[in-house]
DNA sequence: CCCTTAGGATAGAACCACTATCCAGTACAC
DNA sequence: GTGTACTGGATAGTGGTTCTATCCTAAGGG
C-alpha cells in the first residue's frame, strides 16, 4: 500500500499522514526505494487509533504521541493503562492539588469499596477533584460518593475484562481511552436527563 | 469601582475586561462622565461566572455569551437550565444523530426510571451517544444502563433542590453548569480509580 | 496643572492542527 | 525511452480562538 492508498483506506488526507509521520506518531513505511514506501494494515489501524483519540476523546497531538511512543517501546499493559488514564483524566483537571491538610476524601472511598490501597493517578485526580469541589462549595456527601463509587465498581469489572483481552496494543489503548471517555460522557448525559426530569416534575408540581 | 479596581478585585486583566465588554458579555459600567465609569459587585460576580465557565467547564466565548444573554433577557429558569445543559452536553458530542431506525435505547431508560416523557436535549444527546457507542462496538448492556441511571436518578434530586434555590441568575448558571460538569468529572475519576483497582487486583492474581 | 485613567479602535501574538506548495528524484506503464 | 504519478523532505501559510498591546483623545482629581 502506498501513501495515497493509505490515505484512501483510512480517510485521512495525505497531507495529514505526512504530518503524523513528521510528528513521529506513525511509523515510517518500509522504504522500497528512495522514493517509494510501503504501508501495511498496521498503519491503517494506527491511523484509526489516532483519529479516535483526536476526534472522540479529544486528546491533542502531544498526548497521543506520548501514548503511542510508550506502546511502541513495549511498555507493559498496566503501565500503558495508567498512562491512558493520566491523559484522559487530565482533560478537565485544573490540577490545583494544593497539598490538602485533612485526610483526602478519595482515600475514604478506596477503603469503603475495599479497593487495593495503591497510589495511582486516578486516586490523586479524585482527591484533587473533591478538593476543588469543596473549594467551590459544591457539597459531595459520603452517601453520594457511596452511590457513585458503587456504580463505578460494578461496571469496572466488565471494562477491565475487555481491556485485558485485546491482542494488539493499539487496541488496548483504543478500548481504554475511548471506553473511559465514552462512559463518562454517557454518565454526563444520564445525569443531565435525570436532572431535567426532576426539574420538569418539580415544575409541574408548582404549576 | 473603576476598571482598574475591578481588574484587581476579580483577578482578570484590564485588557481582558475590555475584551469581555466588547464582546457583550459584561454589561457596561455606569458612565459617570465620558471618561469615567463605575462598576459594581455585580460585575465582579459576572466576571467570576465567566471565569468559571471558561476555566472549569471549558465553554467558549460564544457559548458563554449566549447563556449570559438569556439570563440578562430574563429567560425563565427552566429554559435557562435547558440551555445550560445544551452547551455542557455539546462539549464532547459528535452530534451525529443519523436518525436511528430502531427504538432509541435512551427512551427505554426514561420508561424504566419512570421519568416524565418530555423530549429534551439531554434525551437526544443520550440517544445519539448510545448510538455512537454501539457503532464503535462498545457494548452497553441494559443492566449497566439500569445501574448508571439509578445512580444518576438518586443524585439528580439533590442537585435540583440546590439549583432551584439560588437567588441570582448568575448563581443559577454557575451551579447548573459547574455542577453538571464537575459531577461528570467526578464520575470519570471514580470510574478510572475503579478500573485501576480492578486491573491491579487482576494483575496480582496473575503474578 | 499635570498625571492617570477611561473608552474606543485596531493590530498583533500565541497556540494548535492541519494544509498547501514546491522540489528533485525515480519507478512503472506504455 | 519517455512521461506520468508518486515519493520523502522541507517550509510556509491558514483559520480559528482568546486574549494582549498599542495608540489615541478627552477629562477628572490630587
Amino acid at each position: 500500500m502506498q501513501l495515497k492508498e493509505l490515505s484512501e483506506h483510512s480517510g485521512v488526507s495525505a497531507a495529514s499522514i505526512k504530518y503524523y509521520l513528521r510528528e513521529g506518531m506513525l511509523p515510517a513505511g518500509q522504504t522500497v526505494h528512495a522514493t517509494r514506501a510501503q504501508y501495511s494494515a498496521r498503519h491503517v489501524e494506527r491511523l484509526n487509533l489516532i483519529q479516535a483519540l483526536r476526534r472522540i476523546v479529544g486528546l491533542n497531538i502531544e498526548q497521543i504521541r506520548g501514548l503511542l511512543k510508550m506502546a511502541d517501546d513495549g511498555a507493559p499493559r498496566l503501565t500503558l493503562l495508567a498512562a491512558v488514564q493520566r491523559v484522559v483524566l487530565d482533560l478537565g483537571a485544573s490540577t490545583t492539588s494544593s497539598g490538602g491538610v485533612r485526610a483526602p476524601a478519595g482515600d475514604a472511598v478506596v477503603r469503603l469499596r475495599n479497593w487495593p490501597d495503591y497510589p495511582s493517578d486516578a486516586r490523586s485526580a479524585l482527591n484533587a477533584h473533591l478538593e476543588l469541589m469543596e473549594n467551590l462549595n459544591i457539597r459531595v456527601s459520603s452517601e453520594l460518593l457511596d452511590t457513585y463509587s458503587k456504580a463505578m465498581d460494578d461496571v469496572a469489572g466488565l471494562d477491565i475484562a475487555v481491556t485485558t483481552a485485546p491482542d494488539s496494543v493499539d487496541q488496548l489503548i483504543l478500548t481504554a481511552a475511548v471506553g473511559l471517555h465514552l462512559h463518562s460522557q454517557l454518565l454526563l448525559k444520564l445525569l443531565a436527563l435525570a436532572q431535567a426530569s426532576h426539574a420538569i416534575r418539580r415544575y409541574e408540581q408548582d404549576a
Side-chain angles (χ1 to χ4, degrees), chain A:
Chain A
M1 202 187 318
Q2 311 199 153
L3 199 146
K4 207 180 184 186
E5 294 171 274
L6 178 60
S7 161
E8 282 154 9
H9 274 267
S10 60
V12 180
S13 78
S16 292
I17 293 178
K18 279 183 167 191
Y19 173 66
Y20 293 149
L21 284 166
R22 268 202 307 284
E23 296 293 323
M25 300 159 69
L26 196 62
Q30 190 157 24
T31 36
V32 182
H33 308 289
T35 67
R36 197 101 341 180
Q38 284 294 319
Y39 300 93
S40 66
R42 275 206 58 231
H43 289 90
V44 179
E45 186 188 25
R46 176 57 64 97
L47 277 176
N48 287 337
L49 173 58
I50 293 174
Q51 292 295 37
L53 293 180
R54 283 276 316 126
R55 299 264 143 81
I56 300 177
V57 189
L59 300 184
N60 64 33
I61 298 296
E62 176 82 24
Q63 294 168 319
I64 296 175
R65 181 170 38 209
L67 288 181
L68 295 180
K69 191 174 176 330
M70 287 188 68
D72 291 340
D73 289 353
R77 304 204 146 192
L78 214 55
T79 313
L80 212 43
L81 267 184
V84 167
Q85 289 204 340
R86 204 171 305 129
V87 292
V88 177
L89 290 178
D90 264 352
L91 278 185
S94 334
T95 40
T96 38
S97 69
S98 56
V101 190
R102 286 171 302 146
D107 293 357
V109 176
V110 171
R111 282 193 299 278
L112 174 73
R113 285 269 88 81
N114 201 24
W115 284 335
D117 191 10
Y118 270 47
S120 66
D121 291 307
R123 184 145 153 204
S124 27
L126 174 62
N127 279 323
H129 191 75
L130 286 171
E131 203 184 316
L132 171 66
M133 290 182 82
E134 193 173 343
N135 289 342
L136 291 171
N137 267 326
I138 299 180
R139 213 169 51 86
V140 179
S141 67
S142 44
E143 293 82 35
L144 176 62
L145 270 181
D146 186 18
T147 305
Y148 275 4
S149 64
K150 175 146 188 5
M152 296 306 103
D153 197 24
D154 286 349
V155 82
L158 298 171
D159 282 14
I160 282 301
V162 174
T163 299
T164 44
D167 18 78
S168 87
V169 189
D170 279 26
Q171 268 296 319
L172 173 72
I173 295 179
L174 188 66
T175 312
V178 173
L180 197 52
H181 176 77
L182 287 184
H183 274 282
S184 155
Q185 285 289 310
L186 174 58
L187 283 160
L188 169 64
K189 272 141 199 172
L190 280 170
L191 179 57
L193 182 55
Q195 279 191 354
S197 300
H198 281 249
I200 286 169
R201 205 173 267 159
R202 180 174 290 247
Y203 179 77
E204 274 176 344
Q205 269 177 13
D206 293 357

